Amino acid sequence: MKNQLPKGYVQKDDALWLVDEESLGFHGSWKVNRLLHHEQTPFQEITVFENDALGRVLALDGIPQTSAKDGFIYNEMITHIPLTTHPKPARVAIIGGGDGGAAREAVKYPGVEEVTLVEIDQRVVELSAQWLPEVFGETMDPRIRPAYRDGNEWIREQEGTYDCIIVDSSDPVGPAQVLFEQSFYAQVYRALKDDGLMACQSESPFFHAHVLQKVVRQLRQLFPIVRTYLATIPTYPGGCWSFTLASKKWDPLTADLSRLQAHDTQYVNADVFLAAFQLPNYIRRLLAE
Amino acid sequence: MKNQLPKGYVQKDDALWLVDEESLGFHGSWKVNRLLHHEQTPFQEITVFENDALGRVLALDGIPQTSAKDGFIYNEMITHIPLTTHPKPARVAIIGGGDGGAAREAVKYPGVEEVTLVEIDQRVVELSAQWLPEVFGETMDPRIRPAYRDGNEWIREQEGTYDCIIVDSSDPVGPAQVLFEQSFYAQVYRALKDDGLMACQSESPFFHAHVLQKVVRQLRQLFPIVRTYLATIPTYPGGCWSFTLASKKWDPLTADLSRLQAHDTQYVNADVFLAAFQLPNYIRRLLAE
């Protein structure tokens, strides 16, 4: 009897492929040179595979999340923008982010005392440590404290204690769906100090324009400063990816860029920091609606 | 007997898909709601199909080239950057660009007297006019003069006559291969006036890094000012796409941005113009080598 393939994996001719079917009318297929790991956790199906373009790739429920070759783009952009914008981030929380990449960038900031990594699925952290050192790092900095909790439950216990909260979620299907809801953002607002700020990934402006619009509308109801910024991430469909920063006080457009810890980054630098906020007209119009 | 499908088209389950297999380890598949046109010309196989995300798509030899929904990104970025950088572009040539989109943007510039559209395949122009009015426009401006010629032959007949030359080629395989060679760029240099400039598409910095590197190295041997800029184009694999401007005199970084004709653009604006030149570190390093 044939072994069952993990979700999203298909055999075509002589090769195995992972097919990302999330986007309307478009499938991205990644050739699987070797399937390195496959496991069903209580939360999701985790796979790790080797690809020519991306190196090792971590996928959750058949959707590629991060890779050895381009993971730096997402992790640098979701972390350095908020941590540079806040002039003195000491207490940081990351909700999701089990690949460890965002936490690793966060501890580069002087003054950061503690990074709480609120990941629902401990196995994502363990497998990232095992298979993706390019993203996770060789070891976990002692200031990073994993809390294997549901982010939506954990956030309700916090009040006025965080400088920066990074919502590093997967797509708004499955366990991450609640992390795109207004009730969650209201709890994030409450968990932040009076001058705190948050950043989240807000999906593709091209393929998931309605998600980005909804995120921005919801955040504008809570925060006085809401700014969307972009990066191009080959792993994700269409490549065009958005992040949104929402802040009680500090504005990224007037941030002190000498704070940017970009001496060993592969994507972000001071010019890219500002350029990322310059939105093409079709995205400006999307967010003006 | 089953009709043969055009190159790149495959039947999967109940649907027809166009599979772009150009990138190592990655295939982008676009669902074909309807195959609207299919024809073999002396130069290539042209197809037009309807897709949920992109609307109508023009493909050459099975590679998507432009679409109703995102064609504006490529055409605005390959045209407005050089035409704003040159303070007084009167004579413009476009090599390739049979979809008419770049020519349509070029005639928005005051002072442009003539746009020579050097497209090897007349059928690309005719089919774009028929099927892709979102890209081509409703009619062709009388200042646009098609020359159905091989760009590499045509350029040898020009000397010191053009202000701007736009190399709007397909990928460096098939008919467009010569348009990525040093001998071609030397002819472009010769065809330009003493203060002329050129812009070309220079492929994906992620999937085709060696092509971008080669283009930039070759242009640096000819032109004193060579600058690569980026746009994110969902139609192309990985989304991250590069263009390179090479100039005898005018520098885009000090261009008079009040010249930018962006009143009805969907992508470019003055902020995006400058932001496009701010390269992520991994691309900076690629071009420093």
Side-chain angles (χ1 to χ4, degrees):
Chain A
M1 197 179 127
K2 191 170 149 246
N3 284 330
Q4 209 185 331
L5 289 172
K7 186 178 174 191
Y9 285 74
V10 297
Q11 191 74 38
K12 282 195 286 191
D13 305 323
D14 289 344
L16 188 64
W17 292 76
L18 175 59
V19 184
D20 178 351
E21 301 190 349
E22 265 189 312
S23 303
L24 185 69
F26 178 75
H27 290 177
S29 305
W30 300 95
K31 191 175 176 196
V32 177
N33 294 345
R34 276 202 307 161
L35 182 57
L36 299 165
H37 189 84
H38 171 205
E39 147 178 6
Q40 177 69 47
T41 75
F43 306 100
Q44 53 210 344
E45 191 174 30
I46 308 179
T47 51
V48 181
F49 68 96
E50 177 83 31
N51 172 269
D52 287 322
L54 300 179
R56 287 180 182 174
V57 184
L58 174 82
L60 301 178
D61 287 334
I63 309 294
Q65 300 295 321
T66 192
S67 84
K69 294 276 181 70
D70 82 342
F72 64 87
I73 305 177
Y74 179 96
N75 285 315
E76 290 181 14
M77 291 303 277
I78 204 167
T79 307
H80 287 268
I81 307 295
L83 267 80
T84 297
T85 299
H86 195 294
K88 202 170 178 295
R91 297 196 72 207
V92 176
I94 298 170
I95 294 176
D99 64 34
R104 184 188 179 196
E105 297 302 319
V107 293
K108 292 180 180 174
Y109 280 74
V112 166
E113 292 162 10
E114 177 190 317
V115 177
T116 308
L117 183 62
V118 189
E119 166 60 54
I120 198 169
D121 194 342
Q122 184 164 355
R123 291 298 289 152
V124 172
V125 176
E126 292 166 350
L127 290 168
S128 299
Q130 180 181 350
W131 293 106
L132 277 165
E134 297 87 348
V135 176
F136 188 88
E138 291 300 330
T139 57
M140 193 172 252
D141 188 283
R143 287 169 293 171
I144 303 171
R145 298 173 197 175
Y148 299 113
R149 297 280 308 279
D150 178 327
N152 193 40
E153 285 174 17
W154 177 88
I155 196 78
R156 280 161 216 282
E157 299 161 15
Q158 317 306 318
E159 192 177 341
T161 41
Y162 284 92
D163 298 302
C164 292
I165 295 178
I166 293 171
V167 186
D168 177 5
S169 70
S170 47
D171 299 322
V173 287
Q177 196 161 6
V178 291
L179 306 183
F180 288 80
E181 297 298 331
Q182 182 71 327
S183 56
F184 172 74
Y185 295 137
Q187 294 298 329
V188 172
Y189 185 93
R190 193 169 148 269
L192 288 167
K193 290 184 192 162
D194 286 346
D195 67 344
L197 55 86
M198 64 161 276
C200 62
Q201 72 93 350
S202 41
E203 300 280 307
S204 164
F206 191 82
F207 281 111
H208 319 116
H210 59 288
V211 178
L212 169 59
Q213 278 186 317
K214 186 183 155 192
V215 167
V216 168
R217 275 189 204 134
Q218 291 182 140
L219 291 173
R220 281 178 180 159
Q221 288 173 22
L222 294 164
F223 291 88
I225 298 164
V226 177
R227 300 210 186 273
T228 293
Y229 59 99
L230 304 174
T232 308
I233 303 175
T235 297
Y236 299 156
C240 185
W241 213 254
S242 75
F243 302 86
T244 300
L245 185 144
S247 176
K248 294 185 180 182
K249 180 172 178 184
W250 309 107
D251 188 339
L253 299 187
T254 54
D256 172 8
L257 295 186
S258 72
R259 291 198 68 259
L260 181 68
Q261 299 299 311
H263 47 279
D264 66 350
T265 52
Q266 296 177 75
Y267 192 86
V268 76
N269 54 52
D271 298 324
V272 163
F273 183 112
L274 291 174
F277 289 92
Q278 310 309 326
L279 306 181
N281 288 350
Y282 81 98
I283 303 177
R284 284 187 183 178
R285 285 171 196 146
L286 202 69
L287 300 183
E289 280 168 20
Chain B
M1 198 180 128
K2 191 170 149 246
N3 284 332
Q4 210 188 330
L5 289 171
K7 186 179 174 191
Y9 285 75
V10 296
Q11 190 75 38
K12 282 195 285 190
D13 306 323
D14 289 344
L16 188 63
W17 292 77
L18 174 59
V19 184
D20 178 351
E21 301 190 349
E22 266 188 312
S23 302
L24 185 69
F26 178 74
H27 291 176
S29 305
W30 300 94
K31 191 176 176 197
V32 177
N33 295 345
R34 276 202 306 161
L35 181 56
L36 299 165
H37 190 84
H38 170 205
E39 151 180 1
Q40 177 69 47
T41 75
F43 306 101
Q44 53 209 343
E45 191 174 31
I46 308 179
T47 52
V48 181
F49 68 96
E50 177 82 30
N51 172 269
D52 287 321
L54 300 179
R56 287 180 182 172
V57 183
L58 173 82
L60 301 178
D61 287 335
I63 309 296
Q65 300 295 319
T66 193
S67 84
K69 294 276 181 71
D70 83 340
F72 64 86
I73 305 176
Y74 179 96
N75 284 315
E76 290 182 14
M77 290 302 277
I78 203 168
T79 307
H80 287 268
I81 308 296
L83 268 79
T84 296
T85 299
H86 195 294
K88 202 169 179 294
R91 297 196 72 208
V92 176
I94 298 170
I95 295 175
D99 63 33
R104 184 188 179 195
E105 297 302 319
V107 293
K108 292 180 180 173
Y109 280 74
V112 166
E113 292 162 10
E114 178 189 317
V115 177
T116 307
L117 183 62
V118 188
E119 166 60 54
I120 198 169
D121 193 343
Q122 183 164 356
R123 291 298 289 152
V124 173
V125 176
E126 292 165 351
L127 290 168
S128 298
Q130 179 181 351
W131 292 107
L132 278 165
E134 297 87 347
V135 176
F136 188 89
E138 291 300 329
T139 56
M140 193 172 251
D141 188 283
R143 288 169 291 171
I144 302 171
R145 297 172 197 177
Y148 298 114
R149 297 281 308 280
D150 178 327
N152 193 40
E153 285 175 17
W154 176 87
I155 196 78
R156 281 162 215 280
E157 299 161 16
Q158 317 306 320
E159 191 176 342
T161 40
Y162 284 93
D163 299 302
C164 292
I165 295 177
I166 293 171
V167 186
D168 177 5
S169 70
S170 47
D171 299 322
V173 286
Q177 195 161 6
V178 291
L179 306 183
F180 289 80
E181 298 298 330
Q182 182 71 328
S183 56
F184 172 72
Y185 295 137
Q187 294 298 328
V188 172
Y189 185 92
R190 194 170 148 268
L192 289 167
K193 290 183 191 163
D194 286 345
D195 68 343
L197 54 85
M198 65 161 275
C200 63
Q201 72 93 350
S202 42
E203 300 280 307
S204 163
F206 191 80
F207 280 112
H208 319 116
H210 58 289
V211 178
L212 170 58
Q213 279 185 316
K214 186 183 154 191
V215 167
V216 168
R217 274 188 206 135
Q218 291 182 141
L219 290 173
R220 280 178 181 159
Q221 287 174 22
L222 294 165
F223 291 88
I225 298 164
V226 177
R227 300 209 186 274
T228 293
Y229 59 99
L230 304 174
T232 308
I233 303 175
T235 297
Y236 299 157
C240 184
W241 213 255
S242 76
F243 302 86
T244 299
L245 185 144
S247 177
K248 293 186 180 183
K249 180 173 178 183
W250 310 105
D251 188 339
L253 299 187
T254 54
D256 172 7
L257 295 186
S258 71
R259 290 198 70 259
L260 181 68
Q261 300 299 309
H263 47 279
D264 67 350
T265 53
Q266 296 178 73
Y267 191 86
V268 76
N269 54 52
D271 297 324
V272 163
F273 183 112
L274 291 174
F277 289 92
Q278 309 309 327
L279 306 181
N281 288 350
Y282 81 99
I283 302 177
R284 284 187 181 178
R285 285 171 197 146
L286 203 68
L287 300 183
E289 279 167 21

